[in-house]
Amino acid sequence: MSIDQWAISVMETLGVVGAALLVAIESLFPPIPSELILPLAGFTASRGSFDLVSVIVATTIGSVVGALLLYGLGRWIGAERLARIADRIPLMSGTDVEKAMAWFHRFGPIAVLLGRFVPIVRSLISIPAGVDRMRLWLFLLLTTIGSGIWNTLFVVLGFVLGENWVVVEDIASRYSRAVLVIAIVVVVALIAWRIVLVVRRRRAERDSASTDSATPEA
């Protein structure tokens, strides 16, 4: 049984609860794409298994529940523990985490809202929100708005297109791949820049040490 057949079976068996469950799982495990689950939910609704409004509400609740679990994980990890983990990773340091969290503290609300429209980030953005201890009501509000818009778009398209819901998945998959490629390029560029900075710092330290050792004592 393919993943789409399995998803349809779950939703037809459990109704909107099944749709909410699948979206919550998608929030926790990004490799399961919402671009597949949501149009399928709309398609299943078009077959009369449940009404359109109910599935939109249910999938949005599922998104919020999944995001809330990752938010809780971020709060549990905390900034200090995350910094200690970063210190153990090559080319990273606790200072990087502090800078990143300072940025998130400033732009967090925008990141949480817009992040719901970006593959992978849509799930992972909840963790730094928890680490930063963003106000829970604000996190829930922004997540509900962002996820509600995203879910409504794909569910309605799946509902309208019916048997042709795969068209939505195809277009969304291209969008996701394009965004993912851009993200990979940015990450690689950041890693390369980090390597350059480390090499420069070590070279400067060696030059400084050589100068000190060559300076005659008074």
Side-chain angles (χ1 to χ4, degrees):
M1 180 183 294
S2 63
I3 187 171
D4 55 335
Q5 292 174 328
W6 171 75
I8 291 174
S9 176
V10 169
M11 287 185 279
E12 289 185 334
T13 302
L14 301 178
V16 292
V17 174
L21 180 62
L22 288 173
V23 173
I25 293 174
E26 179 271 329
S27 299
L28 296 172
F29 302 99
I32 301 177
S34 64
E35 295 86 347
L36 170 65
I37 300 300
L38 294 173
L40 268 176
F43 166 61
T44 307
S46 72
R47 296 170 61 169
S49 298
F50 33 70
D51 65 270
L52 184 61
V53 175
S54 295
V55 74
I56 290 174
V57 172
T59 53
T60 301
I61 291 174
S63 296
V64 171
V65 170
L68 191 57
L69 291 174
L70 291 176
Y71 173 89
L73 175 63
R75 288 194 67 131
W76 176 75
I77 293 174
E80 292 183 3
R81 184 178 297 175
L82 191 60
R84 289 197 297 269
I85 294 174
D87 281 330
R88 299 173 184 173
I89 299 177
L91 303 177
M92 290 190 66
S93 68
T95 303
D96 295 326
V97 172
E98 293 173 1
K99 291 179 180 178
M101 293 314 303
W103 179 91
F104 188 88
H105 187 74
R106 183 177 180 182
F107 300 104
I110 297 175
V112 169
L113 179 61
L114 298 184
R116 301 302 169 190
F117 303 95
V118 182
I120 306 299
V121 174
R122 182 166 52 249
S123 296
L124 299 182
I125 195 63
S126 301
I127 296 178
V131 173
D132 190 56
R133 295 183 176 271
M134 175 183 286
R135 286 169 292 181
L136 183 58
W137 71 265
L138 179 60
F139 174 78
L140 291 175
L141 175 63
L142 295 172
T143 299
T144 301
I145 293 173
S147 297
I149 295 172
W150 179 265
N151 292 0
T152 299
L153 173 63
F154 282 92
V155 169
V156 169
L157 285 174
F159 183 88
V160 171
L161 292 173
E163 295 285 350
N164 295 317
W165 67 269
V166 290
V167 174
V168 184
E169 184 195 6
D170 182 55
I171 295 174
S173 296
R174 294 179 185 179
Y175 162 76
S176 298
R177 285 195 294 270
V179 173
L180 189 57
V181 168
I182 293 172
I184 291 174
V185 170
V186 171
V187 170
V188 170
L190 290 174
I191 293 175
W193 178 244
R194 180 67 180 172
I195 292 174
V196 170
L197 291 179
V198 170
V199 170
R200 286 179 178 177
R201 186 180 69 245
R202 291 178 178 175
R203 184 179 299 169
E205 290 173 352
R206 287 198 302 268
D207 293 343
S208 177
S210 300
T211 302
D212 292 341
S213 61
T215 302
E217 297 183 0

